[in-house]
Amino acid sequence: MHCTPKTITILGSTGSIGRQALEVCEAGGFPVYGLSAHKSEELLEQQVRRFHPQVVCISDPDHYQSFRARVADLPVKVLTGIDGLCELAGDRGAEIVLNSVMGMIGLRPTLAALDAGITLALANKETLVAGGELVMAKAREKGVKILPVDSEHSAIFQCLEGYRQCKLNKILLTASGGPFFGKTRAELESITPEMALKHPNWSMGAKITIDSSTLMNKGLEVIEAVHLFGVKPEQIEVVVHRESIVHSMVEFEDYAVLGQFGVPDMKIPIQFALTYPQRMTCPTGRLDLTKIGTLTFSKPDLDTFVSLKAALTAIGRGGLYPALLNAVNEQLVALFLQGKISFLSIGDLAMESLNLRCDGPVTLSGIQEAEAMAEAFVRQHI
Ligand code: MG
């Protein structure tokens, strides 16, 4: 089917999702309106020269002057800071904004794009985890579509298309199990960052790769799914599926289960968000099920992978607890990568942080308070 390419802004274009999105744009002939990076000047410059965006944001102000000098010969507007990022996100020069910024900093740009009424392709899961109520309320108020880019949520979204009016029993959220599937706590004691950074199926950035190894990533995805699809936490079942071929499934009232299959390549869900409701050929391999042969499914080990248990506890309580947990986890992952805490401490401290009282309403200032609380908690415990 012929697909009319939409004009795109990519926030976080030098990260793993951003770079793959640009491959999709190049292959599909999508015009690029805006790009942003935090501080990767060299790669952002290369991208600007190749994709000719009209607006670009280098969000770390310390890199603003030097980056501007790099592209001084080009007709491109250069922004900086979180305000610059929000200005770019809300710039209606793009028909669709892909938010693949890493971490909590993605929340304000998400709200800015929705405020401007621009379709949002969302790859920044932290913003839905921490500010899901805010983001979904804003999307409803403005009548704007949020198209999930995370492979599981894209799969669920695709399975629900055409059946929005039908009663959904549950979502079966698949998990690869990460590199430490089947290991005991004792075996995880000596895990180093290098070991945790090797994911068997997906190639991703460092933060999400560590989150995948602790299963916190799956926990954050459960929280994301609660908001995106308006279901109760208990309607989501995490299923370990080592092959990463079934990207998630849904079960309807009649017990019919629909799943979306495909090779584990993020370009497929990224492209689907950009072409929705149409489809087009994707620059990726094809799935050959007979070569794969066997697909396996099992229950996650919540006693070993405490981070997943912590995320399920946080969403069960609701309110600001997911924001608190997410902020604690962001800091613990950074400390683990710096060699300052052990692998098991990530989950143990994440779980312990939920003993804090964090009962306020989900507002931007409430989220900031939860983050400050998270910071104080982590400082006390290392
Ligand atoms: Mg995922």
Side-chain angles (χ1 to χ4, degrees):
M1 182 177 179
H2 178 71
C3 181
T4 321
K6 294 176 196 124
T7 309
I8 291 162
T9 286
I10 302 173
L11 308 180
S13 63
T14 56
S16 169
I17 296 287
R19 293 193 311 266
Q20 294 180 78
L22 282 172
E23 278 181 59
V24 166
C25 287
E26 191 154 53
F30 290 87
V32 174
Y33 177 79
L35 294 175
S36 91
H38 187 52
K39 51 183 161 195
S40 305
E41 285 187 33
E42 194 176 336
L43 181 52
L44 187 60
E45 181 192 347
Q46 287 169 15
Q47 292 178 343
V48 169
R49 292 188 183 281
R50 186 154 184 172
F51 292 93
H52 316 291
Q54 292 178 43
V55 188
V56 65
C57 177
I58 183 97
S59 58
D60 184 343
D62 291 345
H63 289 259
Y64 176 62
Q65 290 302 344
S66 49
F67 183 74
R68 238 175 50 147
R70 280 173 180 267
V71 295
D73 60 315
L74 298 171
V76 60
K77 182 174 166 188
V78 183
L79 303 169
T80 190
I82 179 69
D83 291 332
L85 198 58
C86 290
E87 183 182 333
L88 176 57
D91 188 329
R92 294 193 186 92
E95 292 165 276
I96 183 162
V97 170
L98 168 62
N99 185 355
S100 53
V101 163
M102 192 204 76
M104 275 304 298
I105 191 176
L107 179 57
R108 281 189 51 207
T110 284
L111 294 171
L114 294 174
D115 250 327
I118 306 169
T119 302
L120 182 70
L122 191 56
N124 172 273
K125 67 185 67 174
E126 289 89 348
T127 69
L128 266 187
V129 167
E133 284 90 348
L134 283 182
V135 171
M136 297 313 288
K138 178 70 77 185
R140 272 192 304 274
E141 174 199 331
K142 299 285 174 178
V144 181
K145 256 204 170 355
I146 297 180
L147 301 165
V149 170
D150 212 345
S151 61
E152 295 79 0
H153 304 80
S154 175
I156 297 160
F157 182 89
Q158 293 179 59
C159 292
L160 291 175
E161 274 299 286
Y163 299 104
R164 297 274 168 191
Q165 306 310 318
C166 300
K167 188 172 166 250
L168 182 68
N169 282 346
K170 63 176 180 177
I171 288 171
L172 297 133
L173 190 77
T174 51
S176 72
F180 308 132
F181 172 76
K183 296 237 185 297
T184 61
R185 270 187 76 89
E187 289 171 310
L188 293 181
E189 250 156 36
S190 54
I191 294 298
T192 62
E194 293 68 39
M195 292 155 88
L197 283 170
K198 286 201 187 91
H199 193 280
N201 300 349
W202 298 93
S203 145
M204 306 172 289
K207 159 76 167 50
I208 185 173
T209 304
I210 300 302
D211 282 347
S212 297
S213 72
T214 60
L215 296 200
M216 177 58 90
N217 181 56
K218 210 46 58 180
L220 299 180
E221 288 181 357
V222 169
I223 300 172
E224 201 183 350
V226 164
H227 293 298
L228 270 175
F229 304 110
V231 297
K232 298 191 184 78
E234 55 272 25
Q235 279 177 286
I236 302 179
E237 181 183 349
V238 174
V239 179
V240 176
H241 166 52
R242 297 291 289 154
E243 298 80 14
S244 298
I245 296 299
V246 183
H247 298 305
S248 277
M249 295 168 273
V250 300
E251 183 196 274
F252 291 103
E253 185 174 20
D254 59 359
Y255 305 127
V257 176
L258 300 192
Q260 186 252 323
F261 292 39
V263 289
D265 187 322
M266 283 305 296
K267 288 195 281 297
I268 297 176
I270 291 169
Q271 179 177 291
F272 182 71
L274 302 184
T275 61
Y276 173 83
Q278 298 173 305
R279 294 183 187 266
M280 58 189 272
T281 309
C282 192
T284 178
R286 293 173 76 173
L287 176 62
D288 183 346
L289 279 173
T290 60
K291 269 202 190 123
I292 291 157
T294 309
L295 298 178
T296 61
F297 303 94
S298 58
K299 282 190 192 300
D301 175 358
L302 295 183
D303 297 324
T304 303
F305 296 95
V306 185
S307 294
L308 175 56
K309 197 196 240 170
L312 297 175
T313 307
I315 187 64
R317 285 199 210 152
L320 288 170
Y321 284 97
L324 171 72
L325 179 74
N326 180 59
V328 165
N329 180 62
E330 264 188 39
Q331 293 176 42
L332 293 175
V333 170
L335 290 169
F336 170 67
L337 287 171
Q338 292 161 25
K340 290 186 181 155
I341 61 169
S342 72
F343 181 78
L344 287 175
S345 302
I346 303 175
D348 293 345
L349 287 173
M351 194 72 210
E352 199 184 322
S353 74
L354 296 177
N355 292 330
L356 294 168
R357 273 190 72 101
C358 190
D359 292 328
V362 181
T363 57
L364 273 180
S365 63
I367 293 168
Q368 276 160 9
E369 273 168 42
E371 285 171 352
M373 206 183 268
E375 208 172 298
F377 172 84
V378 172
R379 227 181 305 119
Q380 272 169 27
H381 286 79
I382 57 155

